[in-house]
Amino acid sequence: MRLRCIPGATEKLENHPKIIQDEKCLKGKWHTQFSNNHPIHIEIGMGKGQFISTLAKQNPHVNYIGFEKFTNVLVRALGNLDDEAMENLYAIRMDVEEILDVFEEGEIERIYLNFSDPWPKDRHDKRRLTHHGFLERYEKVLTSGGKICFKTDNQLLFDYSLEEMEKHHWKVEKVTRDLHNSPYLEGNVMTEYEEKFVGLGMPIYRLEAFK
């Protein structure tokens, strides 16, 4: 999908207090940005920010960081970041391939992967965010017992992700192929995509994984 260019998007991000500009300088020191030692949860591919901003409001004793690599997507999330009272949420304009430059080993408690690009062609499998190359990065930044929470509408991506995680010795639990008709729905926070897919009657696939 081609993203519509938003005039002045780069400048808006550079001047917004919730967009981190020096994220690599905070590696191992994120507690100084949040001024506390609360656990850190991140969402990779935060889109318009509905999911992560809702979590931040619900859980003031958890710190949240959203990753989004597309400038024209992240600028659309600014409305969900503007609440000055929400001091536990920041966003980074960055590709997750650089995650090891941003976080120290064991610095993150939870990673959310919501409706990631499925990259359906076999030759593009290394770009899928559940490819073992990314799983190795996640393992390094996660705390002992830290976990990945993964949701998708794409059955092929879900099957692929299950296989990758199990093959590379991740323990998978709370697996469902129809989240909204499962025991795991309680406490679920929906993304914009999820609302759309559920409205169309499509099943949502979900799992949690940890080492």
Side-chain angles (χ1 to χ4, degrees):
M1 180 179 67
R2 188 170 184 176
L3 299 174
R4 182 174 62 85
C5 182
I6 299 176
T10 299
E11 291 75 14
K12 289 177 181 178
L13 296 183
E14 289 176 347
N15 295 317
H16 198 282
K18 290 289 186 175
I19 307 299
I20 301 295
Q21 307 296 333
D22 55 352
E23 59 277 349
K24 292 183 180 180
C25 296
L26 291 169
K27 179 177 179 177
K29 300 182 289 186
W30 279 96
H31 65 281
T32 62
Q33 180 67 36
F34 289 102
S35 300
N36 61 57
N37 288 310
H38 297 163
I40 298 174
H41 295 187
I42 68 174
E43 182 184 13
I44 297 173
M46 64 177 282
K48 296 180 183 177
Q50 174 177 300
F51 175 84
I52 198 168
S53 63
T54 301
L55 283 181
K57 291 173 183 176
Q58 292 179 350
N59 304 286
H61 298 299
V62 176
N63 296 324
Y64 293 91
I65 303 170
F67 270 70
E68 179 53 60
K69 70 177 180 178
F70 295 113
T71 297
N72 290 319
V73 173
L74 184 53
V75 77
R76 291 181 171 91
L78 296 183
N80 282 317
L81 302 176
D82 279 335
D83 188 345
E84 294 183 3
M86 196 165 52
E87 299 178 350
N88 61 332
L89 172 60
Y90 288 94
I92 299 172
R93 179 181 50 182
M94 175 179 268
D95 194 309
V96 70
E97 289 186 357
E98 301 179 73
I99 192 171
L100 297 181
D101 296 328
V102 178
F103 299 116
E104 194 60 79
E105 289 189 16
E107 199 167 11
I108 302 303
E109 183 179 80
R110 188 168 300 178
I111 296 174
Y112 293 98
L113 300 175
N114 293 317
F115 303 93
S116 309
D117 192 329
W119 291 102
K121 295 181 180 179
D122 289 343
R123 69 175 184 271
H124 293 152
D125 69 323
K126 291 183 179 179
R127 300 185 184 185
R128 297 171 191 157
L129 295 185
T130 50
H131 180 270
H132 63 266
F134 286 109
L135 294 178
E136 290 170 2
R137 293 178 174 93
Y138 305 153
E139 182 182 358
K140 289 179 180 178
V141 301
L142 282 170
T143 61
S144 176
K147 66 174 62 176
I148 297 170
C149 298
F150 172 65
K151 286 195 289 188
T152 182
D153 64 303
N154 189 292
Q155 180 180 349
L156 293 178
L157 178 61
F158 190 74
D159 291 342
Y160 168 88
S161 302
L162 266 175
E163 183 178 342
E164 278 289 275
M165 290 172 175
E166 292 175 345
K167 184 166 61 177
H168 294 279
H169 310 297
W170 288 74
K171 180 173 175 138
V172 179
E173 63 180 13
K174 299 183 180 178
V175 178
T176 176
R177 294 178 179 274
D178 190 1
L179 172 61
H180 288 261
N181 289 293
S182 80
Y184 309 125
L185 183 61
E186 183 177 356
N188 179 62
V189 173
M190 290 203 287
T191 73
E192 296 92 344
Y193 279 120
E194 187 172 354
E195 289 180 347
K196 174 184 176 181
F197 297 142
V198 171
L200 294 172
M202 297 170 61
I204 303 301
Y205 303 83
R206 184 187 186 275
L207 62 78
E208 295 181 8
F210 59 94
K211 273 284 189 177

